[in-house]
Amino acid sequence: MRAKDLMTSDFDFISGDATVRQALELMNQTRVHCLIVLPRDEYDGHGIITDRDIVYKVIATGGNLDKAYVHQVMTKPLFFVEPLHDIRAIARLLRAHKLTRAPVVEVGKIIGIVSITDIIRHFR
């Protein structure tokens, strides 16, 4: 099984300058658990903000969703996988870096996301 077989194409992008509340609202509107954070400039890379980042880094610490910014709580750098990557190799990558998701990139463009939930569903 390959990344392209498991990935979800339901994802969206957000600016690192958005507030965490704006990120949470976009996640709720689009019914996703993460957003890809756009690079700030041509020398920057993508990041990711997950529901886990919001809970652990803002809510659990008593932070304010309106005063915390995406770039402050996002996970970066991202580890990308290609559509033909084997899911066991992806699982090892996620484990090694303590991540829950990896964007799938084809010809320099993000086309989907593979999560640990996607991998688990495959093995049920």
Side-chain angles (χ1 to χ4, degrees), residues 55-120:
V55 170
Y56 289 6
K57 298 175 184 175
V58 182
I59 296 170
T61 62
N64 184 324
L65 296 173
D66 296 309
K67 293 184 179 177
Y69 292 91
V70 168
H71 69 87
Q72 295 172 314
V73 299
M74 70 181 179
T75 299
K76 192 173 178 180
L78 285 182
F79 290 89
F80 295 102
V81 297
E82 295 182 2
L84 296 180
H85 254 103
D86 178 74
I87 60 166
R88 291 179 193 275
I90 295 169
R92 288 191 298 273
L93 173 83
L94 295 175
R95 180 190 69 188
H97 297 283
K98 297 181 175 136
L99 300 172
T100 57
R101 296 168 178 84
V104 180
V105 174
E106 186 172 53
V107 193
K109 181 179 177 191
I110 299 172
I111 61 168
I113 297 176
V114 174
S115 71
I116 58 173
T117 303
D118 298 326
I119 295 170
I120 289 170

Side-chain angles (χ1 to χ4, degrees), residues 3 11 13 19 22 24-25 27 29-30 38 42-43 45 47 49 65 73 89 102-103 105-106 111 116 120 122:
F11 67 93
F13 295 92
T19 66
Q22 290 171 318
L24 191 57
E25 288 172 355
M27 287 178 178
Q29 288 172 357
T30 56
L38 295 166
E42 61 193 82
Y43 304 106
I49 184 167
L65 296 173
V73 299
V105 174
E106 186 172 53
I111 61 168
I116 58 173
I120 289 170
H122 169 72

